[in-house]
Amino acid sequence: MSTSGDYEVPQRREERVTAVTDGDGVATFNWPAGAFSGPPVVTLAVEAGAGFRSARIASNTATQTTVHVLAAAGVTLLGIGVLAAGVNAPGVTVHAHATAA
């Protein structure tokens, strides 16, 4: 901390982890004990693959974050590109970056 009277913002706890989705398209991230006092702010990224993929946070606590990933193929219907219905995406690598709120 500075002694000149300038305020320095304290560092927030950050964790970065990677997981692979199971057969139901679910990936679970377990945070180290005491890492967060409440649910962290989590950002997600999925690795590229065929079709469109979407990831959403299904649950988020100070100790664990659960993510659900869906995949959808692009379909052309009467010359218009649309997305097919999303299905669970097993085997997808998900990267999570968590920061203390």
Side-chain angles (χ1 to χ4, degrees):
M1 178 167 279
S2 172
T3 58
S4 66
D6 295 331
Y7 175 76
E8 293 181 17
V9 178
Q11 294 292 326
R12 291 186 180 186
R13 176 74 185 251
E14 293 184 4
E15 294 289 333
R16 292 174 183 87
V17 291
T18 300
V20 176
T21 58
D22 63 14
D24 294 325
V26 175
T28 302
F29 302 104
N30 294 306
W31 308 118
F36 304 109
S37 59
V41 176
V42 180
T43 56
L44 302 171
V46 294
E47 288 191 12
F52 173 80
R53 294 182 179 170
S54 65
R56 72 175 181 86
I57 297 174
S59 85
N60 189 28
T61 68
T63 58
Q64 185 179 74
T65 300
T66 303
V67 175
H68 188 227
V69 179
L70 295 176
V75 177
T76 302
L77 180 64
L78 299 173
I80 300 171
V82 295
L83 289 175
V87 295
N88 294 336
V92 175
T93 301
V94 182
H95 301 274
H97 181 183
T99 305

Coordinates of all heavy atoms in Angstrom, one line a residue:
M1 N 0.8 -1.2 0.0 CA 0.0 0.0 0.0 C 0.9 1.2 0.0 O 1.9 1.3 0.7 CB -0.9 0.0 1.2 CG -1.8 1.2 1.3 SD -3.2 1.1 2.4 CE -4.3 0.2 1.4
S2 N 0.5 2.2 -0.7 CA 1.2 3.5 -0.8 C 1.1 4.3 0.5 O 0.1 4.3 1.2 CB 0.7 4.3 -2.0 OG 1.2 5.6 -2.0
T3 N 2.2 5.0 0.8 CA 2.2 5.9 2.0 C 2.0 7.3 1.6 O 2.1 8.2 2.5 CB 3.5 5.7 2.8 OG1 4.6 6.0 1.9 CG2 3.7 4.3 3.3
S4 N 1.8 7.6 0.3 CA 1.7 9.0 -0.1 C 0.2 9.5 0.0 O 0.0 10.6 -0.4 CB 2.2 9.2 -1.5 OG 1.4 8.5 -2.4
G5 N -0.7 8.7 0.5 CA -2.1 9.1 0.6 C -2.9 8.7 -0.6 O -4.1 8.9 -0.7
D6 N -2.3 8.0 -1.7 CA -3.0 7.6 -2.8 C -3.7 6.2 -2.4 O -3.1 5.4 -1.8 CB -2.1 7.3 -4.0 CG -1.5 8.6 -4.5 OD1 -2.2 9.7 -4.3 OD2 -0.4 8.6 -5.1
Y7 N -4.9 6.1 -2.9 CA -5.7 4.8 -2.6 C -5.3 3.8 -3.7 O -5.4 4.1 -4.9 CB -7.2 5.1 -2.6 CG -8.0 3.8 -2.5 CD1 -8.1 3.2 -1.2 CD2 -8.6 3.3 -3.5 CE1 -8.8 2.0 -1.1 CE2 -9.4 2.1 -3.4 CZ -9.4 1.5 -2.2 OH -10.2 0.3 -2.0
E8 N -5.0 2.6 -3.3 CA -4.8 1.5 -4.2 C -5.9 0.5 -4.0 O -6.1 0.0 -2.9 CB -3.4 0.9 -4.0 CG -2.3 1.9 -4.4 CD -0.9 1.2 -4.2 OE1 -0.9 0.0 -4.1 OE2 0.0 2.0 -4.1
V9 N -6.5 0.1 -5.1 CA -7.6 -0.9 -5.1 C -7.0 -2.3 -4.7 O -6.0 -2.7 -5.3 CB -8.4 -1.0 -6.4 CG1 -9.4 -2.0 -6.3 CG2 -8.9 0.4 -6.8
P10 N -7.5 -3.0 -3.7 CA -7.0 -4.3 -3.4 C -7.3 -5.3 -4.5 O -8.3 -5.2 -5.2 CB -7.8 -4.7 -2.1 CG -8.9 -3.7 -2.0 CD -8.6 -2.5 -2.8
Q11 N -6.4 -6.2 -4.7 CA -6.5 -7.2 -5.7 C -7.7 -8.2 -5.3 O -7.8 -8.5 -4.2 CB -5.2 -8.0 -5.8 CG -4.1 -7.2 -6.3 CD -4.3 -6.8 -7.8 OE1 -4.8 -7.6 -8.6 NE2 -3.8 -5.7 -8.1
R12 N -8.4 -8.5 -6.4 CA -9.5 -9.5 -6.2 C -9.0 -10.9 -6.5 O -8.2 -11.0 -7.4 CB -10.7 -9.1 -7.1 CG -11.4 -7.9 -6.7 CD -12.6 -7.6 -7.5 NE -13.3 -6.4 -7.1 CZ -14.4 -6.0 -7.6 NH1 -15.1 -6.7 -8.5 NH2 -15.0 -4.9 -7.1
R13 N -9.6 -11.8 -5.8 CA -9.2 -13.2 -6.0 C -9.7 -13.7 -7.4 O -10.8 -13.4 -7.8 CB -9.8 -14.1 -4.9 CG -9.5 -15.6 -5.1 CD -8.1 -15.9 -4.8 NE -7.8 -17.3 -5.0 CZ -7.6 -18.2 -4.0 NH1 -7.6 -17.9 -2.8 NH2 -7.3 -19.5 -4.3
E14 N -8.8 -14.3 -8.2 CA -9.2 -14.9 -9.5 C -8.8 -16.3 -9.6 O -7.7 -16.7 -9.0 CB -8.5 -14.1 -10.6 CG -9.0 -12.6 -10.7 CD -8.3 -11.9 -11.9 OE1 -7.6 -12.5 -12.7 OE2 -8.6 -10.7 -12.0
E15 N -9.6 -17.1 -10.3 CA -9.3 -18.5 -10.5 C -9.6 -18.8 -12.0 O -10.6 -18.2 -12.6 CB -10.1 -19.4 -9.7 CG -9.8 -19.3 -8.2 CD -8.5 -19.9 -7.8 OE1 -8.0 -20.8 -8.5 OE2 -7.9 -19.5 -6.8
R16 N -8.7 -19.6 -12.6 CA -9.0 -20.0 -14.0 C -8.9 -21.5 -14.1 O -7.9 -22.1 -13.6 CB -7.9 -19.4 -14.9 CG -8.0 -17.9 -15.1 CD -6.8 -17.3 -15.9 NE -6.8 -15.9 -16.0 CZ -6.3 -15.1 -15.1 NH1 -5.7 -15.6 -14.0 NH2 -6.4 -13.8 -15.2
V17 N -9.9 -22.1 -14.7 CA -10.0 -23.6 -14.8 C -10.5 -24.0 -16.1 O -11.2 -23.2 -16.8 CB -10.8 -24.2 -13.6 CG1 -10.1 -24.0 -12.3 CG2 -12.2 -23.6 -13.6
T18 N -10.3 -25.3 -16.4 CA -10.8 -25.9 -17.6 C -11.4 -27.2 -17.3 O -10.9 -27.9 -16.4 CB -9.7 -26.1 -18.6 OG1 -9.1 -24.8 -18.9 CG2 -10.2 -26.7 -19.9
A19 N -12.5 -27.6 -17.9 CA -13.2 -28.9 -17.7 C -13.8 -29.3 -19.0 O -14.0 -28.5 -20.0 CB -14.3 -28.7 -16.7
V20 N -14.1 -30.6 -19.1 CA -14.7 -31.2 -20.3 C -16.1 -31.7 -19.9 O -16.3 -32.3 -18.8 CB -13.9 -32.4 -20.8 CG1 -14.6 -33.1 -22.0 CG2 -12.5 -31.9 -21.2
T21 N -17.1 -31.4 -20.7 CA -18.5 -31.7 -20.4 C -18.6 -33.2 -20.4 O -18.0 -34.0 -21.2 CB -19.4 -31.1 -21.4 OG1 -19.1 -31.5 -22.7 CG2 -19.4 -29.6 -21.3
D22 N -19.6 -33.7 -19.6 CA -19.9 -35.1 -19.5 C -20.9 -35.5 -20.6 O -21.2 -34.7 -21.5 CB -20.4 -35.5 -18.1 CG -21.7 -34.8 -17.7 OD1 -22.3 -34.2 -18.6 OD2 -22.0 -34.8 -16.5
G23 N -21.5 -36.6 -20.5 CA -22.5 -37.1 -21.5 C -23.8 -36.3 -21.6 O -24.5 -36.3 -22.6
D24 N -24.0 -35.5 -20.5 CA -25.2 -34.7 -20.5 C -24.9 -33.2 -20.8 O -25.7 -32.3 -20.7 CB -25.9 -34.7 -19.1 CG -26.4 -36.0 -18.7 OD1 -26.9 -36.7 -19.6 OD2 -26.4 -36.4 -17.5
G25 N -23.6 -33.0 -21.3 CA -23.2 -31.6 -21.6 C -23.0 -30.7 -20.4 O -23.0 -29.5 -20.5
V26 N -22.7 -31.3 -19.3 CA -22.5 -30.6 -18.0 C -21.0 -30.6 -17.6 O -20.3 -31.7 -17.7 CB -23.3 -31.2 -16.9 CG1 -23.0 -30.5 -15.6 CG2 -24.8 -31.0 -17.2
A27 N -20.5 -29.5 -17.2 CA -19.1 -29.3 -16.7 C -19.2 -28.7 -15.3 O -20.0 -27.7 -15.2 CB -18.2 -28.5 -17.6
T28 N -18.5 -29.2 -14.3 CA -18.5 -28.7 -13.0 C -17.2 -28.2 -12.6 O -16.2 -28.9 -12.8 CB -19.0 -29.7 -12.0 OG1 -20.3 -30.2 -12.4 CG2 -19.1 -29.2 -10.6
F29 N -17.1 -27.0 -12.1 CA -15.9 -26.4 -11.6 C -15.9 -26.2 -10.1 O -16.8 -25.6 -9.6 CB -15.7 -25.0 -12.2 CG -15.7 -25.0 -13.8 CD1 -16.8 -24.5 -14.5 CD2 -14.6 -25.4 -14.5 CE1 -16.8 -24.5 -15.8 CE2 -14.5 -25.4 -15.8 CZ -15.7 -25.0 -16.5
N30 N -15.0 -26.9 -9.4 CA -14.9 -26.8 -8.0 C -13.8 -25.8 -7.6 O -12.7 -25.9 -8.0 CB -14.6 -28.1 -7.4 CG -15.7 -29.1 -7.6 OD1 -16.8 -28.9 -7.3 ND2 -15.4 -30.3 -8.2
W31 N -14.2 -24.7 -6.9 CA -13.3 -23.7 -6.5 C -12.6 -24.1 -5.2 O -13.1 -24.8 -4.4 CB -14.0 -22.3 -6.3 CG -14.9 -22.0 -7.5 CD1 -16.2 -21.8 -7.5 CD2 -14.4 -21.7 -8.8 NE1 -16.6 -21.5 -8.8 CE2 -15.5 -21.5 -9.6 CE3 -13.2 -21.8 -9.4 CZ2 -15.5 -21.2 -11.0 CZ3 -13.1 -21.5 -10.8 CH2 -14.2 -21.2 -11.5
P32 N -11.3 -23.7 -5.0 CA -10.6 -24.0 -3.8 C -11.3 -23.5 -2.6 O -11.9 -22.5 -2.6 CB -9.2 -23.3 -4.0 CG -9.1 -23.0 -5.5 CD -10.5 -22.9 -6.0
A33 N -11.1 -24.3 -1.5 CA -11.8 -23.9 -0.2 C -11.3 -22.5 0.2 O -10.2 -22.2 0.2 CB -11.4 -24.9 0.9
G34 N -12.3 -21.6 0.5 CA -12.0 -20.3 1.0 C -11.6 -19.3 -0.1 O -11.3 -18.2 0.2
A35 N -11.7 -19.7 -1.4 CA -11.3 -18.8 -2.5 C -12.2 -17.6 -2.6 O -11.8 -16.5 -2.9 CB -11.2 -19.6 -3.8
F36 N -13.5 -17.9 -2.4 CA -14.6 -16.9 -2.6 C -15.5 -16.9 -1.4 O -15.9 -17.9 -0.9 CB -15.4 -17.1 -3.9 CG -14.5 -17.2 -5.1 CD1 -14.3 -18.4 -5.8 CD2 -13.9 -16.0 -5.6 CE1 -13.6 -18.4 -6.9 CE2 -13.1 -16.1 -6.8 CZ -12.9 -17.3 -7.4
S37 N -15.9 -15.7 -0.9 CA -16.8 -15.6 0.2 C -18.2 -15.6 -0.3 O -19.1 -15.9 0.5 CB -16.6 -14.3 1.0 OG -16.7 -13.2 0.1
G38 N -18.5 -15.4 -1.5 CA -19.8 -15.5 -2.1 C -19.6 -16.0 -3.6 O -18.5 -16.2 -4.0
P39 N -20.7 -16.2 -4.3 CA -20.6 -16.6 -5.7 C -19.7 -15.7 -6.5 O -19.9 -14.4 -6.5 CB -22.1 -16.6 -6.2 CG -22.9 -16.7 -5.0 CD -22.1 -16.0 -3.9
P40 N -18.8 -16.2 -7.2 CA -17.9 -15.3 -8.0 C -18.6 -14.9 -9.3 O -19.6 -15.5 -9.7 CB -16.7 -16.3 -8.3 CG -17.3 -17.6 -8.3 CD -18.4 -17.6 -7.3
V41 N -18.0 -13.9 -10.0 CA -18.4 -13.5 -11.3 C -17.7 -14.4 -12.3 O -16.4 -14.5 -12.3 CB -18.1 -12.0 -11.6 CG1 -18.4 -11.7 -13.0 CG2 -18.8 -11.1 -10.6
V42 N -18.4 -15.2 -13.1 CA -17.8 -16.2 -13.9 C -18.0 -15.9 -15.4 O -19.1 -15.6 -15.8 CB -18.3 -17.6 -13.6 CG1 -17.7 -18.7 -14.5 CG2 -18.1 -18.0 -12.2
T43 N -16.9 -15.9 -16.2 CA -17.1 -15.8 -17.6 C -16.6 -17.1 -18.2 O -15.8 -17.9 -17.7 CB -16.2 -14.7 -18.2 OG1 -14.8 -14.9 -17.8 CG2 -16.6 -13.3 -17.7
L44 N -17.3 -17.5 -19.4 CA -17.1 -18.8 -20.0 C -16.6 -18.7 -21.4 O -17.0 -17.7 -22.1 CB -18.4 -19.6 -20.0 CG -19.0 -19.9 -18.6 CD1 -20.4 -20.5 -18.8 CD2 -18.1 -20.8 -17.8
A45 N -15.9 -19.7 -21.9 CA -15.5 -19.8 -23.3 C -15.5 -21.3 -23.6 O -15.1 -22.1 -22.8 CB -14.2 -19.2 -23.6
V46 N -16.0 -21.6 -24.8 CA -15.9 -23.0 -25.2 C -15.0 -23.1 -26.4 O -14.9 -22.2 -27.2 CB -17.3 -23.6 -25.6 CG1 -18.2 -23.7 -24.3 CG2 -18.0 -22.8 -26.6
E47 N -14.3 -24.2 -26.5 CA -13.4 -24.4 -27.7 C -14.2 -24.7 -28.9 O -15.3 -25.2 -28.9 CB -12.4 -25.5 -27.4 CG -11.4 -25.1 -26.3 CD -10.3 -26.1 -26.2 OE1 -10.1 -27.0 -27.1 OE2 -9.5 -26.0 -25.2
A48 N -13.6 -24.3 -30.0 CA -14.3 -24.4 -31.3 C -14.6 -25.8 -31.7 O -13.9 -26.7 -31.3 CB -13.4 -23.7 -32.4
G49 N -15.6 -26.0 -32.5 CA -16.0 -27.3 -32.9 C -17.1 -27.2 -34.0 O -17.5 -26.0 -34.3
A50 N -17.5 -28.3 -34.5 CA -18.6 -28.2 -35.6 C -19.9 -27.7 -35.0 O -20.3 -28.0 -33.9 CB -18.8 -29.6 -36.2
G51 N -20.6 -26.9 -35.8 CA -21.9 -26.4 -35.4 C -21.8 -25.2 -34.4 O -20.7 -24.7 -34.1
F52 N -22.9 -24.8 -33.9 CA -23.0 -23.7 -32.9 C -23.1 -24.2 -31.5 O -23.8 -25.2 -31.3 CB -24.3 -22.9 -33.3 CG -24.6 -21.8 -32.3 CD1 -23.9 -20.6 -32.3 CD2 -25.5 -22.0 -31.3 CE1 -24.2 -19.6 -31.4 CE2 -25.8 -21.0 -30.4 CZ -25.2 -19.8 -30.4
R53 N -22.3 -23.6 -30.6 CA -22.4 -24.1 -29.2 C -22.7 -22.9 -28.3 O -22.3 -21.8 -28.6 CB -21.0 -24.6 -28.8 CG -20.6 -25.9 -29.6 CD -19.3 -26.4 -29.1 NE -19.0 -27.6 -29.9 CZ -17.9 -28.2 -29.8 NH1 -16.9 -27.7 -29.1 NH2 -17.7 -29.3 -30.5
S54 N -23.5 -23.2 -27.3 CA -23.9 -22.2 -26.3 C -23.6 -22.8 -24.9 O -23.8 -24.0 -24.7 CB -25.3 -21.8 -26.5 OG -26.2 -22.8 -26.2
A55 N -23.2 -21.9 -24.0 CA -22.9 -22.3 -22.7 C -23.6 -21.4 -21.7 O -23.7 -20.2 -22.0 CB -21.4 -22.3 -22.4
R56 N -24.2 -22.0 -20.7 CA -24.9 -21.2 -19.7 C -24.5 -21.7 -18.3 O -24.2 -22.9 -18.1 CB -26.4 -21.2 -19.9 CG -27.1 -22.5 -19.5 CD -28.6 -22.4 -19.6 NE -29.2 -23.7 -19.3 CZ -29.5 -24.1 -18.0 NH1 -29.2 -23.3 -17.0 NH2 -30.0 -25.2 -17.8
I57 N -24.5 -20.8 -17.3 CA -24.3 -21.2 -16.0 C -25.6 -21.7 -15.4 O -26.6 -21.0 -15.3 CB -23.7 -20.1 -15.1 CG1 -22.3 -19.6 -15.7 CG2 -23.6 -20.4 -13.7 CD1 -21.8 -18.4 -15.1
A58 N -25.6 -23.0 -15.0 CA -26.8 -23.6 -14.4 C -26.9 -23.3 -12.9 O -27.9 -23.2 -12.3 CB -26.8 -25.1 -14.6
S59 N -25.7 -23.3 -12.2 CA -25.7 -22.9 -10.8 C -24.3 -22.3 -10.4 O -23.3 -22.7 -11.1 CB -26.0 -24.1 -9.9 OG -24.9 -24.9 -9.6
N60 N -24.3 -21.4 -9.5 CA -23.1 -20.8 -9.1 C -23.1 -20.5 -7.6 O -23.9 -19.8 -7.1 CB -22.9 -19.5 -9.9 CG -21.6 -18.8 -9.8 OD1 -20.6 -19.5 -9.5 ND2 -21.6 -17.5 -9.9
T61 N -22.1 -21.0 -6.9 CA -21.9 -20.8 -5.5 C -20.5 -20.4 -5.2 O -19.6 -20.5 -6.1 CB -22.3 -22.0 -4.6 OG1 -21.4 -23.1 -4.8 CG2 -23.7 -22.5 -4.9
A62 N -20.1 -20.1 -4.0 CA -18.8 -19.8 -3.6 C -17.8 -21.0 -3.7 O -16.6 -20.8 -3.9 CB -18.7 -19.3 -2.1
T63 N -18.4 -22.2 -3.8 CA -17.5 -23.4 -3.8 C -17.6 -24.1 -5.2 O -16.7 -24.9 -5.5 CB -17.9 -24.4 -2.8 OG1 -19.3 -24.8 -2.9 CG2 -17.7 -23.8 -1.4
Q64 N -18.6 -23.9 -6.0 CA -18.8 -24.6 -7.2 C -19.6 -23.9 -8.3 O -20.6 -23.2 -7.9 CB -19.5 -26.0 -6.9 CG -19.6 -26.9 -8.0 CD -20.3 -28.2 -7.5 OE1 -21.5 -28.2 -7.2 NE2 -19.5 -29.3 -7.3
T65 N -19.2 -24.1 -9.5 CA -20.0 -23.5 -10.6 C -20.3 -24.7 -11.6 O -19.4 -25.4 -12.0 CB -19.3 -22.4 -11.4 OG1 -19.0 -21.3 -10.4 CG2 -20.1 -21.8 -12.5
T66 N -21.6 -24.8 -12.0 CA -22.0 -25.8 -12.9 C -22.4 -25.2 -14.2 O -23.2 -24.2 -14.2 CB -23.1 -26.7 -12.4 OG1 -22.7 -27.2 -11.1 CG2 -23.5 -27.8 -13.3
V67 N -21.9 -25.7 -15.3 CA -22.2 -25.1 -16.7 C -22.9 -26.2 -17.5 O -22.5 -27.4 -17.5 CB -20.9 -24.7 -17.3 CG1 -21.1 -24.2 -18.7 CG2 -20.2 -23.6 -16.5
H68 N -23.8 -25.8 -18.4 CA -24.5 -26.7 -19.3 C -24.2 -26.2 -20.7 O -24.4 -25.0 -21.0 CB -26.0 -26.7 -19.0 CG -26.7 -27.7 -19.8 ND1 -27.9 -27.5 -20.5 CD2 -26.4 -29.0 -20.1 CE1 -28.3 -28.5 -21.1 NE2 -27.4 -29.5 -20.9
V69 N -23.7 -27.1 -21.6 CA -23.4 -26.7 -23.0 C -24.3 -27.4 -24.0 O -24.5 -28.6 -23.8 CB -21.9 -27.1 -23.3 CG1 -21.6 -26.7 -24.7 CG2 -21.0 -26.3 -22.3
L70 N -24.8 -26.7 -24.9 CA -25.7 -27.2 -26.0 C -25.0 -27.0 -27.3 O -24.2 -26.0 -27.5 CB -27.0 -26.5 -26.0 CG -28.0 -26.7 -24.8 CD1 -29.2 -25.9 -25.0 CD2 -28.3 -28.2 -24.6
A71 N -25.2 -27.9 -28.3 CA -24.7 -27.8 -29.6 C -25.9 -27.8 -30.6 O -26.8 -28.6 -30.4 CB -23.7 -28.9 -29.9
A72 N -25.8 -27.0 -31.7 CA -26.8 -27.1 -32.7 C -26.1 -26.9 -34.0 O -25.2 -26.2 -34.2 CB -27.8 -25.9 -32.5
A73 N -26.6 -27.7 -35.0 CA -26.1 -27.7 -36.3 C -26.9 -26.6 -37.1 O -28.0 -26.3 -36.9 CB -26.2 -29.0 -37.0
G74 N -26.2 -26.0 -38.1 CA -26.9 -25.1 -39.0 C -27.6 -25.8 -40.1 O -27.2 -26.8 -40.6
V75 N -28.8 -25.4 -40.3 CA -29.7 -26.0 -41.4 C -30.1 -24.9 -42.3 O -30.5 -23.8 -41.9 CB -30.9 -26.7 -40.7 CG1 -31.8 -27.3 -41.7 CG2 -30.5 -27.7 -39.7
T76 N -30.1 -25.3 -43.6 CA -30.7 -24.3 -44.6 C -32.0 -24.8 -45.0 O -32.2 -25.9 -45.5 CB -29.7 -24.2 -45.8 OG1 -28.4 -23.8 -45.4 CG2 -30.2 -23.3 -46.9
L77 N -33.0 -23.9 -44.9 CA -34.4 -24.3 -45.2 C -34.9 -23.2 -46.2 O -35.0 -22.0 -45.8 CB -35.2 -24.3 -44.0 CG -36.7 -24.7 -44.1 CD1 -36.9 -26.1 -44.6 CD2 -37.4 -24.6 -42.7
L78 N -35.2 -23.6 -47.4 CA -35.7 -22.7 -48.4 C -34.7 -21.5 -48.6 O -35.1 -20.4 -48.8 CB -37.1 -22.1 -48.1 CG -38.2 -23.2 -48.0 CD1 -39.5 -22.5 -47.5 CD2 -38.4 -23.9 -49.3
G79 N -33.4 -21.8 -48.6 CA -32.4 -20.8 -48.8 C -32.1 -19.9 -47.6 O -31.4 -19.0 -47.7
I80 N -32.8 -20.2 -46.5 CA -32.6 -19.4 -45.3 C -31.8 -20.2 -44.3 O -32.3 -21.4 -43.9 CB -33.9 -18.9 -44.7 CG1 -34.7 -18.1 -45.7 CG2 -33.7 -18.1 -43.4 CD1 -36.1 -17.7 -45.3
G81 N -30.7 -19.7 -43.7 CA -30.0 -20.5 -42.7 C -30.6 -20.3 -41.3 O -30.9 -19.2 -40.9
V82 N -30.9 -21.5 -40.7 CA -31.5 -21.5 -39.4 C -30.7 -22.5 -38.5 O -29.9 -23.3 -39.0 CB -33.0 -21.9 -39.4 CG1 -33.8 -20.8 -40.1 CG2 -33.1 -23.2 -40.0
L83 N -30.8 -22.4 -37.2 CA -30.2 -23.3 -36.3 C -31.2 -24.5 -35.9 O -32.3 -24.2 -35.7 CB -29.7 -22.6 -35.0 CG -28.6 -21.7 -35.2 CD1 -28.3 -21.0 -33.9 CD2 -27.3 -22.4 -35.7
A84 N -30.7 -25.7 -35.9 CA -31.5 -26.8 -35.5 C -31.6 -26.7 -34.0 O -30.9 -26.0 -33.3 CB -30.8 -28.1 -35.9
A85 N -32.5 -27.5 -33.4 CA -32.6 -27.6 -31.9 C -31.3 -27.9 -31.3 O -30.6 -28.8 -31.7 CB -33.7 -28.5 -31.6
G86 N -31.1 -27.3 -30.1 CA -29.8 -27.6 -29.4 C -30.0 -28.9 -28.6 O -31.0 -29.2 -28.1
V87 N -28.9 -29.6 -28.6 CA -28.8 -30.9 -27.9 C -27.6 -30.9 -27.0 O -26.7 -30.1 -27.2 CB -28.7 -32.1 -28.8 CG1 -30.0 -32.2 -29.7 CG2 -27.5 -32.0 -29.7
N88 N -27.6 -31.7 -25.9 CA -26.5 -31.7 -25.0 C -25.2 -32.0 -25.8 O -25.2 -32.8 -26.7 CB -26.7 -32.8 -24.0 CG -27.8 -32.5 -23.0 OD1 -28.2 -31.4 -22.9 ND2 -28.4 -33.6 -22.5
A89 N -24.1 -31.3 -25.4 CA -22.9 -31.4 -26.1 C -21.8 -32.1 -25.2 O -21.1 -31.4 -24.4 CB -22.4 -30.0 -26.5
P90 N -21.6 -33.4 -25.3 CA -20.6 -34.1 -24.5 C -19.2 -33.8 -25.1 O -19.1 -33.6 -26.3 CB -21.0 -35.5 -24.6 CG -21.8 -35.7 -25.8 CD -22.5 -34.3 -26.0
G91 N -18.2 -33.9 -24.3 CA -16.8 -33.8 -24.7 C -16.3 -32.4 -25.2 O -15.3 -32.3 -25.8
V92 N -17.1 -31.4 -24.8 CA -16.7 -30.0 -25.1 C -15.8 -29.5 -24.0 O -16.1 -29.6 -22.8 CB -17.9 -29.1 -25.3 CG1 -17.5 -27.7 -25.6 CG2 -18.8 -29.7 -26.5
T93 N -14.7 -28.8 -24.4 CA -13.8 -28.2 -23.4 C -14.3 -26.8 -23.1 O -14.5 -26.0 -24.0 CB -12.3 -28.1 -23.9 OG1 -11.9 -29.5 -24.2 CG2 -11.4 -27.5 -22.9
V94 N -14.5 -26.5 -21.8 CA -15.0 -25.3 -21.3 C -14.0 -24.6 -20.5 O -13.4 -25.3 -19.6 CB -16.3 -25.4 -20.5 CG1 -16.9 -24.1 -20.1 CG2 -17.4 -26.2 -21.3
H95 N -13.7 -23.3 -20.7 CA -12.8 -22.6 -19.9 C -13.6 -21.6 -19.0 O -14.5 -20.9 -19.6 CB -11.8 -21.8 -20.8 CG -11.0 -22.7 -21.7 ND1 -9.8 -23.3 -21.3 CD2 -11.2 -23.1 -23.0 CE1 -9.4 -24.0 -22.3 NE2 -10.2 -23.9 -23.3
A96 N -13.3 -21.5 -17.8 CA -14.0 -20.6 -16.9 C -12.9 -19.7 -16.2 O -11.9 -20.1 -15.8 CB -14.7 -21.4 -15.8
H97 N -13.3 -18.4 -16.0 CA -12.5 -17.4 -15.4 C -13.4 -16.8 -14.3 O -14.4 -16.2 -14.6 CB -12.1 -16.4 -16.3 CG -11.2 -15.3 -15.7 ND1 -10.7 -14.3 -16.5 CD2 -10.7 -15.1 -14.5 CE1 -10.0 -13.5 -15.7 NE2 -10.0 -14.0 -14.5
A98 N -13.1 -17.0 -13.0 CA -13.9 -16.6 -11.9 C -13.2 -15.5 -11.1 O -12.0 -15.6 -10.9 CB -14.2 -17.7 -11.0
T99 N -13.9 -14.4 -10.8 CA -13.4 -13.3 -10.1 C -14.3 -13.0 -8.9 O -15.5 -13.0 -9.0 CB -13.3 -12.0 -11.0 OG1 -12.6 -12.3 -12.1 CG2 -12.6 -10.9 -10.2
A100 N -13.7 -12.7 -7.7 CA -14.5 -12.4 -6.5 C -15.3 -11.2 -6.8 O -14.9 -10.2 -7.4 CB -13.6 -12.2 -5.3
A101 N -16.6 -11.2 -6.4 CA -17.5 -10.1 -6.6 C -17.2 -9.0 -5.7 O -16.6 -9.1 -4.7 CB -18.9 -10.6 -6.5

